[in-house]
Amino acid sequence: MGKLDGKVAVVTGGAGGIGQATAALFVKEGASVTLVDREEEALGEAAEAIGGDRVATVAADVSKEEDTARYVKETVDRFGGLDILFANAGTEGHVGPLVDVPLEAFDQVLAVNVRGPFLGIRMATPHLVERGGGSIIVTSSVAGLVGAAGLAPYCTSKHAVLGLVKTAAIELAPSGIRVNALNPGPIDNRMMESIEKQASPEHPEQVRQGYSGMVPMGRYGTNDEMARLALFLASDDSAYCTGNRFVADGGFTAQ
């Protein structure tokens, strides 16, 4: 028996590190999963890596209403319903002093990181209601809990996500829908590599050492560790959890 037997999930950012790891674990635990990301090729590679006939892909821009409606519809048409939304797609955006951030770069980060989950929740909710409830998980960050120099757009967006999660949790609780935030610390994947390279193109390894030094456990987290927390939030193991942030950061925010 899997923890998600018979469940249907959407994972946005499904071709990325946390998204693909989570989708693979969801499938292992019995769910059917739609991977959503922007690039067809990357989606195909992720689906092939997971394997099986319980994986679908939809190329979509999560910040667009029509794309969001399409990935929800295609999921329901393919698998017969929807029980879990993991609104995980995100972008780090421009790294540098806030006075130097181009306005369009700021807007893009908010479009993906805030508008994307808002649209996903809005479109997915009627289908979760039809199933008698479900779980919505939104990826925030430790950058949604503290400030970080050079990451003004990202920090702004990840703080905003927590307000969305709390409000949605209150509104949707009577329908049996739980809404929670997953707040990773530094994770060993593409996003952190991008932040490191943008912060110090000549010496990204020094940025990595600096971030690692801020983590009491002394290391970056892994995609698989985040996937296991997402599984907890998606499953009945977290049946009494809603409106909260679940931090996996090696102690980063304990200091």
Side-chain angles (χ1 to χ4, degrees):
M1 291 286 291
K3 292 187 176 183
L4 300 179
D5 283 345
K7 301 296 186 181
V8 178
V10 165
V11 177
T12 69
I18 293 175
Q20 182 177 333
T22 300
L25 185 56
F26 282 8
V27 170
K28 182 179 178 181
E29 291 290 336
S32 298
V33 180
T34 296
L35 305 176
V36 179
D37 217 307
R38 290 182 300 176
E39 300 296 332
E40 287 275 10
E41 183 176 354
L43 279 170
E45 291 173 356
E48 183 176 358
I50 296 169
D53 60 1
R54 287 185 284 111
V55 181
T57 64
V58 179
D61 181 340
V62 298
S63 70
K64 294 182 178 179
E65 186 175 14
E66 60 273 21
D67 281 21
T68 303
R70 179 166 52 82
Y71 76 64
V72 170
K73 182 179 186 303
E74 290 191 20
T75 298
V76 173
D77 289 348
R78 169 76 178 270
F79 297 121
L82 182 59
D83 304 284
I84 301 158
L85 170 66
F86 184 23
N88 168 69
T91 178
E92 69 282 3
H94 181 93
V95 177
L98 66 87
V99 295
D100 296 331
V101 176
L103 184 57
E104 59 273 18
F106 181 85
D107 289 344
Q108 176 62 18
V109 171
L110 265 65
V112 174
N113 294 0
V114 184
R115 181 180 168 93
F118 172 81
L119 288 172
I121 293 171
R122 185 176 179 181
M123 299 289 186
T125 290
H127 299 283
L128 270 65
V129 170
E130 287 181 5
R131 304 277 269 199
S135 176
I136 296 173
I137 309 155
V138 183
T139 300
S140 180
S141 169
V142 291
L145 307 175
V146 299
L151 290 172
Y154 188 71
C155 286
T156 300
S157 70
K158 294 306 185 178
H159 276 73
V161 159
L162 298 182
L164 173 63
V165 163
K166 291 177 182 179
T167 301
I170 293 168
E171 291 189 10
L172 300 180
S175 297
I177 299 171
R178 299 178 295 105
V179 188
N180 291 290
L182 193 161
N183 291 67
I187 305 301
D188 191 9
N189 60 22
R190 182 214 62 82
M191 182 177 287
M192 282 306 301
E193 290 178 1
S194 172
I195 291 172
E196 293 159 6
K197 290 175 182 177
Q198 289 191 68
S200 180
E202 300 297 324
H203 300 287
E205 71 284 354
Q206 293 182 5
V207 180
R208 184 184 180 92
Q209 291 171 5
Y211 275 118
S212 296
M214 297 169 69
V215 179
M217 290 182 69
R219 65 171 178 86
Y220 281 15
T222 69
N223 296 318
D224 287 340
E225 287 169 331
M226 299 308 107
R228 289 194 288 272
L229 180 52
L231 173 62
F232 168 74
L233 294 173
S235 74
D236 290 341
D237 287 348
S238 59
Y240 198 52
C241 301
T242 196
N244 277 299
R245 60 198 193 196
F246 288 78
V247 183
D249 67 352
F252 184 96
T253 55
Q255 303 172 89

